[in-house]
Amino acid sequence: MNPQLLLGAEAIALAAIDAGISGVYAYPGTPSTEITEFIQQSDVARQKGIHSAWATNEKTAYEAALGMSYAGKRTLICMKHVGLNVAADAFINSAITGVHGGMVVVVADDPSMHSSQNEQDTRVYGKFAFLPVIEPSEQQETYDAVRYAFDFSEEMQLPVLLRITTRLSHARSIVLPKAPRDENPFNPSTDKRKWILLPVNARVNYAKLLDKQKQLTAVSESSFLNKEIAGTGKKAVIAFGIAFSYVMEVRESAQLDFPVLKISHYPLPDKTIRAFTEHYDDILIVEEGYPVYEELLKGYFGNSKFHGRLDGTLPRTGELSPDILAKALGVEDGEARQAIPSVVAGRPPMLCQGCSHRDVFEELNTVFEAYPEKHLFSDIGCYTLGALPPFSAINTCVDMGASVTMAKGAADAGLHPAVAVIGDSTFTHSGMTGLLDAVNDRSPVTIIISDNSTTAMTGGQNSAGTGRLFDICKGIGVEEAHIRTIIPLKKNSEENKAILKEEMEYKGVSVIIAQRECVQTASRKRREKAKETPA
């Protein structure tokens, strides 16, 4: 096999194809989107007939993947960290049912919140669900870990959680692939007691899951993903996942010789860690994200041997880096290494020029001038940038779908007008259920679906409701007369503002679909068409 220069996300995708997956299920979310896109663009995946389509949300993706596993096939699930909150119901229960065909759950965390509303640590979910977690440290190891995870999943009959972070997902390195494996044959599970989580079955399955923990720990003790780097002195480092790469970069560049224990396979190999720590007086715990294992190793009553994010040796929040590590390890030029070249200018995020969301916010701001209360509940997508100047139009952004339900709650409290703005993809992700609540309660809300016919925030993936938003809203129960469609262009501005005003004054549920294609996807289509047109 020839070596390839791959992103970490691409290494995961290639490894999954080579591991014999029959399907990938995902909802786009930075920094995980490129995994599914790689499979969708892969000639090999197409030739093999690997199923791949964007799901409506992470929960539906997870449940579909579980169904493919039930049929005996190997399947990959991809999402960003907050997506696991959406899929958590299915995720936790899948630990009780177990799996049939190998199932790997890739969750991409985003420390420092480069493109996210929080920086939660997915390893906590792994501990919570009693599932094995693998956290590779670089691209080749990521490829190898994915292939291993599918075998391990089938051996243990459990989902395996693969945790990556932004820096690993979006950095490139040389990867040497291995020979591809054939797909599993179609072989649906026949063990009903395993899959029907009636309490009588769930209690038995839960006990079995707990019984497997010793076996999972024993596997971790001998895993190729955990290893010790020999060194000298009484100070040492225990590094987890990609943090190991940061530690080794500092160790090599500063010509240091401290011992390092690398952990990338959980549950924790406690015997390995105990044997390592006995030899040293001070140990720096380096993990990207929460101090998950620092808390565990330090114990509730404290242990002065261990240092890390809890005692301030490392920052409690944000993404780690070799520079931060260098400073914590006493490397004198740590501060200087943090300098950003002057040619790299800081740029605030902004909506694209020509974007339809711009016209929507300008029209909304004008209409709002007539009201003493000017509160706009927003959802999560590129339109959230309407919170920034020059629009400064948005008052809230909490989680996907929350714009609709928060507007409903505020309307129930007496706010008028109660207006929400939500994108077309986010509306089908989790806004529809909130709209049903509003319809059932006849809440006086105006929901603006800013429909650009794509999932623009993550690069233009398919949107589940494209071309059907009117019918969906009508089916949910919104009165047909109060489902209005506008085209957000300057030439339509006066007409659009009149419609906004009319629906804000309506004492019931109204939906305004602001429909105009994303400027980026429209531009891409024009370029592709130009290539296909003979000169």
Side-chain angles (χ1 to χ4, degrees):
M1 305 296 289
N2 295 323
Q4 299 186 34
L5 181 63
L6 298 175
L7 295 174
E10 294 169 341
I12 291 170
L14 181 61
I17 295 170
D18 291 347
I21 60 166
S22 297
V24 56
Y25 295 89
Y27 183 81
T30 305
S32 70
T33 311
E34 292 85 354
I35 303 169
T36 305
E37 287 186 331
F38 182 94
I39 295 172
Q40 290 178 336
Q41 295 163 11
S42 164
D43 292 337
V44 174
R46 271 195 292 274
Q47 290 164 8
K48 289 186 172 184
I50 293 174
H51 179 85
S52 174
W54 295 106
T56 301
N57 64 37
E58 295 84 355
K59 181 173 183 288
T60 63
Y62 199 99
E63 291 158 348
L66 196 59
M68 181 169 276
S69 171
Y70 177 89
K73 299 281 190 174
R74 290 187 168 190
T75 181
L76 182 73
I77 314 160
C78 312
M79 63 193 73
K80 67 181 297 176
H81 58 302
V82 290
L84 190 54
N85 299 338
V86 180
D89 199 8
F91 172 72
I92 300 295
N93 287 335
S94 71
I96 310 297
T97 62
V99 299
H100 189 39
M103 194 168 102
V104 174
V105 185
V106 180
V107 182
D109 289 358
D110 187 18
S112 283
M113 294 176 265
H114 296 287
S115 184
S116 307
Q117 61 270 46
N118 73 25
E119 59 173 31
Q120 69 190 51
D121 192 320
T122 294
R123 296 177 301 167
V124 176
Y125 267 112
K127 285 178 83 252
F128 184 51
F130 297 104
L131 287 176
V133 181
I134 289 172
E135 187 185 16
S137 61
E138 42 87 10
Q139 282 74 8
Q140 180 67 57
E141 189 175 78
T142 300
Y143 177 90
D144 296 337
V146 169
R147 294 193 52 140
Y148 163 76
F150 276 105
D151 294 339
F152 189 42
S153 173
E154 289 188 352
E155 177 188 348
M156 299 304 300
Q157 292 288 282
L158 289 173
V160 173
L161 184 58
L162 185 93
R163 186 233 189 185
I164 58 171
T165 58
T166 306
R167 204 62 59 177
L168 179 58
S169 183
H170 287 170
R172 288 188 186 275
S173 185
I174 297 293
V175 172
L176 182 61
K178 296 175 181 173
R181 174 194 183 280
D182 290 336
E183 293 180 37
N184 285 355
F186 177 69
N187 176 31
S189 175
T190 55
D191 185 354
K192 292 184 178 179
R193 290 172 300 179
K194 176 178 176 179
W195 293 94
I196 302 174
L197 289 187
L198 288 167
V200 65
N201 295 334
R203 282 192 285 269
V204 173
N205 291 350
Y206 182 56
K208 288 180 179 176
L209 174 63
L210 296 183
D211 287 344
K212 285 183 178 178
Q213 297 308 300
K214 288 184 180 177
Q215 189 179 353
L216 294 176
T217 303
V219 172
S220 183
E221 294 283 3
S222 58
S223 172
F224 74 97
L225 294 163
N226 301 330
K227 63 181 179 183
E228 183 175 341
I229 311 298
T232 60
K234 299 304 286 183
K235 295 183 178 179
V237 171
I238 300 178
F240 298 83
I242 192 173
F244 172 74
S245 295
Y246 300 154
V247 169
M248 294 307 291
E249 183 176 329
V250 173
R251 189 177 185 268
E252 291 166 10
S253 62
Q255 298 183 324
L256 301 175
D257 190 32
F258 52 81
V260 182
L261 178 62
K262 169 185 178 290
I263 304 293
S264 289
H265 197 308
Y266 318 121
L268 283 184
D270 52 357
K271 292 179 183 175
T272 301
I273 292 175
R274 191 178 302 119
F276 179 80
T277 58
E278 284 175 352
H279 297 292
Y280 307 106
D281 298 331
D282 287 292
I283 298 172
L284 182 66
I285 308 296
V286 187
E287 50 191 328
E288 188 73 282
Y290 293 176
V292 178
Y293 293 110
E294 185 184 344
E295 280 185 339
L296 201 63
L297 295 172
K298 203 163 189 172
Y300 288 109
F301 302 104
N303 184 329
S304 58
K305 179 183 286 189
F306 297 104
H307 307 281
R309 288 189 186 267
L310 289 176
D311 66 0
T313 306
L314 293 170
R316 176 62 184 82
T317 61
E319 189 177 29
L320 294 176
S321 69
D323 299 314
I324 292 172
L325 261 296
K327 191 174 180 181
L329 290 166
V331 178
E332 292 183 358
D333 66 346
E335 291 286 354
R337 288 158 56 95
Q338 294 184 45
I340 297 173
S342 58
V343 295
V344 182
R347 294 179 301 169
M350 61 187 297
L351 289 168
C352 300
Q353 295 299 323
C355 171
S356 62
H357 302 323
R358 287 177 169 266
D359 295 279
V360 170
F361 288 125
E362 286 177 3
E363 290 161 3
L364 267 172
N365 279 342
T366 302
V367 175
F368 266 139
E369 288 175 0
Y371 295 92
E373 300 289 349
K374 303 177 180 62
H375 302 272
L376 179 62
F377 300 89
S378 175
D379 229 287
I380 294 176
C382 44
Y383 49 90
T384 314
L385 296 172
L388 304 176
F391 307 105
S392 303
I394 289 172
N395 295 82
T396 73
C397 174
V398 177
D399 59 52
M400 294 188 84
S403 63
V404 177
T405 35
M406 286 189 71
K408 178 197 180 303
D412 294 343
L415 179 70
H416 175 75
V419 184
V421 62
I422 186 170
D424 50 313
S425 181
T426 311
F427 176 70
T428 51
H429 177 282
S430 49
M432 294 191 298
T433 46
L435 182 61
L436 182 59
D437 281 351
V439 168
N440 288 340
D441 264 4
R442 298 187 59 80
S443 301
V445 294
T446 300
I447 311 302
I448 300 167
I449 304 176
S450 199
D451 174 18
N452 55 13
S453 305
T454 189
T455 310
M457 184 77 168
T458 47
Q461 294 76 33
N462 291 340
S463 179
T466 296
R468 294 179 293 148
L469 293 175
F470 182 94
D471 292 338
I472 290 171
C473 294
K474 182 181 172 184
I476 286 173
V478 182
E479 295 173 36
E480 195 167 342
H482 293 283
I483 307 173
R484 312 283 293 272
T485 298
I486 64 174
I487 308 299
L489 286 169
K490 288 286 184 293
K491 65 180 182 180
N492 302 327
S493 181
E494 293 306 315
E495 179 185 357
N496 293 346
K497 286 186 285 190
I499 291 173
L500 286 166
K501 177 73 173 173
E502 287 174 21
E503 296 306 327
M504 286 184 193
E505 287 301 311
Y506 175 60
K507 304 302 182 187
V509 179
S510 60
V511 173
I512 298 172
I513 302 170
Q515 208 288 318
R516 180 154 69 86
E517 186 176 12
C518 168
V519 291
Q520 296 295 339
T521 57
S523 174
R524 195 178 307 144
K525 287 178 184 175
R526 284 195 296 272
R527 290 196 299 271
E528 290 170 357
K529 189 175 180 179
K531 286 180 185 176
E532 295 170 358
T533 304

